[in-house]
Amino acid sequence: MSPHIPVLKDEVLEVFSSLTSGYLIDCTLGFGGHTQALLDAHPSLQIIGIDQDQEARAYCQAHLPKDRLKILEGNFSAKIAEALEYGPIVGILADIGVSSLQLDALERGFGFQSPNLDMRMDQSNPLTASYIINSYPKLELERVFRDYGEIREYKKMAQLILEERQKRSFESAVQLSGFLEKHFKKHRIHPATLAFQALRIEVNQELEVLKSLLDQLIQSHHKLKGTLLAIISFHSLEDRIIKTAFREWEKSCICPPEVMRCECGNHHAHGKILTKKPLVASENELSLNPRSRSAKLRVFEFGI
């Protein structure tokens, strides 16, 4: 059994229920929860799993069937072109989030109680949350908190951190979360929640990686006729990017808004959206895995 609880597993299985054979790309293999479920459900399916986390890859190498799983090392935006060379590609899955094991492992520095301030999904990445907090200039800190945390008081947060680090460095997630809790009011969530989200996105360049994936997929749409693409996101920034891309891909007419009559030929749709509203966790899943509450699954089918 995978040490990570895969979110929306039943919904993912339903999305890909029509598959019989071919290759499915799991862009975020992690500890293999989704992949194992898909392999069990489809005995003739082959999976190409991509992951940048060495610990996760080692686990899957040891526990998943080697004859039906090919593992690629690296970030999915860097490896998707290689994965698309296999064929036929019948499905693509991306679970854009941190695994439970990464969140719970104190040494990885994702959680409020961690003695580290790290947050790297790829341990070879030179950029850490510690470097950002202790070294970024004020305007860059403001950008991170504003753009990736959507924090209203982003200027105040950056200024307070700047003043504090002149006295002493931030050495741990515990220290940072406690500092933010002291200076900002607690509403529905812990005052450090959005700041930690922003730092994690900056460290791992999560939004840029997602945009790169989507760009590469649409550039390769000619290879993907009939392919199902399912993406799970965990916050509004990611979901907005996915929703916007899918809507653009579905457009048949690409004439500018000011044009009175279509001049483009009206045949530019790359496929269709299969989820007008995102799929979310059931009450049963929410009771078993509260972290699934923010998960949203959107599905696109490339043109046949």
Side-chain angles (χ1 to χ4, degrees):
M1 180 179 289
S2 169
H4 167 62
I5 304 171
V7 299
L8 302 178
K9 182 178 76 172
D10 291 344
E11 288 75 11
V12 166
L13 288 174
E14 178 61 30
V15 165
F16 294 117
S17 61
S18 63
L19 303 185
T20 53
S21 60
Y23 287 88
L24 182 142
I25 302 172
D26 187 344
C27 295
T28 46
L29 178 63
F31 289 86
H34 287 121
T35 281
Q36 183 67 72
L38 287 163
L39 290 171
D40 291 344
H42 304 282
S44 298
L45 192 66
Q46 299 282 327
I47 291 188
I48 305 155
I50 306 171
D51 210 282
Q52 59 189 340
D53 189 300
Q54 190 276 334
E55 185 181 0
R57 292 196 308 273
Y59 177 89
C60 291
Q61 198 73 52
H63 292 87
L64 298 184
K66 295 179 176 60
D67 60 326
R68 298 175 58 202
L69 174 64
K70 168 71 175 177
I71 299 177
L72 303 182
E73 174 185 347
N75 189 283
F76 55 77
S77 71
K79 290 294 181 177
I80 189 64
E82 180 181 345
L84 289 173
E85 291 305 311
Y86 292 79
I89 304 298
V90 293
I92 302 171
L93 171 66
D95 177 0
I96 314 293
V98 186
S99 75
S100 299
L101 210 71
Q102 288 173 330
L103 285 171
D104 294 336
L106 289 179
E107 69 276 8
R108 300 298 294 270
F110 287 99
F112 298 157
Q113 301 307 312
S114 174
N116 300 325
L117 193 51
D118 192 322
M119 301 192 190
R120 292 175 296 172
M121 293 181 189
D122 178 358
Q123 292 297 97
S124 67
N125 178 5
L127 183 62
T128 66
S130 176
Y131 180 84
I132 293 168
I133 286 294
N134 291 302
S135 303
Y136 268 26
K138 183 182 177 183
L139 288 178
E140 281 296 279
L141 278 177
E142 288 181 358
R143 173 188 62 80
V144 171
F145 294 141
R146 180 191 65 230
D147 295 352
Y148 297 156
E150 298 183 299
I151 297 167
R152 289 183 181 180
E153 297 180 284
Y154 66 91
K155 289 190 175 183
K156 175 184 174 183
M157 185 172 288
Q159 182 60 38
L160 286 171
I161 287 171
L162 220 68
E163 291 171 2
E164 180 67 13
R165 79 187 193 194
Q166 289 173 353
K167 305 171 194 172
R168 57 172 185 157
S169 297
F170 286 92
E171 302 292 345
S172 69
V174 175
Q175 181 188 350
L176 178 60
S177 61
F179 176 79
L180 295 176
E181 187 173 25
K182 177 177 152 187
H183 289 281
F184 294 90
K185 293 179 181 178
K186 185 175 184 178
H187 296 293
R188 291 185 304 107
I189 57 176
H190 191 287
T193 301
L194 295 178
F196 273 53
Q197 171 188 296
L199 289 169
R200 196 196 76 224
I201 291 173
E202 175 73 2
V203 167
N204 299 289
Q205 292 295 293
E206 293 175 35
L207 301 188
E208 297 310 312
V209 166
L210 173 59
K211 289 174 185 175
S212 174
L213 172 69
L214 293 168
D215 287 346
Q216 291 182 73
L217 289 177
I218 201 59
Q219 289 167 17
S220 301
H221 68 91
H222 57 284
K223 298 180 181 178
L224 299 173
K225 291 184 178 180
T227 301
L228 293 170
L229 169 63
I231 307 181
I232 301 171
S233 63
F234 287 85
H235 54 72
S236 60
L237 294 169
E238 294 169 338
D239 185 57
R240 199 177 304 149
I241 290 169
I242 298 160
K243 180 170 63 174
T244 300
F246 284 8
R247 284 178 176 173
E248 288 298 314
W249 296 356
E250 194 179 47
K251 283 183 181 177
S252 183
C253 174
I254 57 171
C255 292
E258 61 270 16
V259 174
M260 299 295 290
R261 181 181 297 175
C262 177
E263 298 174 355
C264 70
N266 198 27
H267 56 72
H268 294 276
H270 296 298
K272 60 182 179 180
I273 298 169
L274 300 186
T275 47
K276 297 303 179 185
K277 290 186 177 180
L279 303 178
V280 296
S282 64
E283 289 298 324
N284 181 56
E285 181 173 2
L286 288 170
S287 67
L288 296 172
N289 181 18
R291 284 177 177 161
S292 66
R293 69 185 179 277
S294 56
K296 293 181 178 180
L297 171 61
R298 294 186 185 273
V299 186
F300 187 88
E301 182 178 16
F302 285 96
I304 299 172

